[in-house]
Amino acid sequence: MQNIQLSLRWVGVLLFLAVAPCLFAARGDTLFTNYSKGTYHTCAVRYVDAQMAPTDSLVDLLIYQFRNDIEPIFDWAFKGLGNSQSDKERREVQLYFRRFAFDEKTSVGTFWADIVVPGVKTFKDVEVKSRILKNVVPDKQITTTMEIFYSNSILKDAHGTLRIVKVDNQLAVRIDTFVTFGWFFNIFITQRRYRNLLEWRVAGFVDNLSEAFNMASR
């Protein structure tokens, strides 16, 4: 079975990441979140009419833009995943991306963002460092991994896996994310707030990718 696997250890720009529970066996779109021992696991699956070759090229583009010029990603992969102005619950935690830098010598990328909990606290210029690496098995698999090198009161750990697998005449686009918050957010983030902060963004990211894969295959 041909597949493209994009593994990410990350925070909240996609984001997105070992995995098991969400299987491709049952055909159909899927979205769920489980909470266990302080860790939120979100799984989203979409089936799309797309071809592997143009999809592979778009995955390469995603990685290139993340490393070199992250702004265009917000026009397609992260489209519509900013702060909601119409949904009051989704405004309880607000994310403001500031800037991004990539060091070619170390392959380490750094992004800065403000995280605002209205009426409670504002975290200015939260810095997250990560490294993206890619391995290729010709005609079988592309694996890209991202590792996070930062842990604080906001985020203790984040990782996940994005897999794109050929199933009959379609591609199954699947993402599993695992997030463990630091001590402050672990107190503040309820399961409802998690859905309003991250779950809908994970689902939106998969929807955006699926749409782009479909368009590129026409």
Side-chain angles (χ1 to χ4, degrees):
M1 179 179 292
Q2 301 180 55
N3 65 71
I4 300 171
Q5 176 173 304
L6 174 62
S7 295
L8 307 171
R9 295 188 66 88
W10 178 64
V11 102
V13 124
L14 272 23
L15 39 41
F16 254 160
L17 5 180
V19 224
C22 183
L23 302 178
F24 290 119
R27 181 71 63 90
D29 292 350
T30 301
L31 175 64
F32 70 80
T33 295
N34 289 330
Y35 177 78
S36 177
K37 298 180 180 179
T39 297
Y40 291 89
H41 165 214
T42 296
C43 174
V45 178
R46 300 291 184 266
Y47 285 85
V48 58
D49 295 323
Q51 302 301 314
M52 188 61 74
T55 296
D56 188 359
S57 296
L58 274 181
V59 172
D60 285 342
L61 176 63
L62 180 70
I63 296 167
Y64 174 83
Q65 290 181 342
F66 189 86
R67 286 178 167 177
N68 297 277
D69 184 11
I70 201 171
E71 291 298 331
I73 291 179
F74 291 90
D75 293 329
W76 66 288
F78 292 162
K79 180 179 63 178
L81 304 184
N83 297 309
S84 174
Q85 300 302 315
S86 59
D87 191 319
K88 181 179 179 180
E89 289 188 340
R90 289 183 179 176
R91 295 200 303 268
E92 289 184 336
V93 181
Q94 300 171 15
L95 307 176
Y96 297 92
F97 174 81
R98 295 307 181 194
R99 61 193 186 281
F100 178 84
F102 181 73
D103 187 332
E104 292 187 3
K105 293 182 179 179
T106 62
S107 295
V108 172
T110 305
F111 72 84
W112 292 264
D114 294 345
I115 301 178
V116 180
V117 184
V120 179
K121 189 174 180 64
T122 296
F123 298 86
K124 300 287 290 184
D125 272 337
V126 175
E127 179 185 287
V128 177
K129 293 181 179 295
S130 62
R131 178 181 287 131
I132 303 175
L133 301 173
K134 182 179 180 182
N135 297 304
V136 177
V137 179
D139 300 322
K140 291 185 178 181
Q141 179 173 297
I142 299 173
T143 302
T144 304
T145 62
M146 177 191 276
E147 296 179 275
I148 282 286
F149 306 123
Y150 195 73
S151 178
N152 59 13
S153 62
I154 301 173
L155 182 71
K156 184 177 180 180
D157 182 64
H159 64 279
T161 302
L162 172 64
R163 286 194 178 95
I164 303 164
V165 178
K166 187 173 180 59
V167 180
D168 297 328
N169 294 322
Q170 291 184 304
L171 296 183
V173 183
R174 161 185 165 177
I175 187 169
D176 290 81
T177 61
F178 298 83
V179 178
T180 305
F181 292 105
W183 66 266
F184 175 82
F185 265 32
N186 193 44
I187 295 172
F188 176 77
I189 298 293
T190 62
Q191 294 186 48
R192 177 182 62 81
R193 285 188 171 124
Y194 171 84
R195 289 194 297 270
N196 291 324
L197 174 65
L198 287 180
E199 184 186 72
W200 73 275
R201 287 185 167 98
V202 172
F205 177 63
V206 174
D207 288 340
N208 287 342
L209 288 182
S210 299
E211 179 182 359
F213 297 157
N214 177 271
M215 293 292 292
S217 299
R218 293 180 179 178

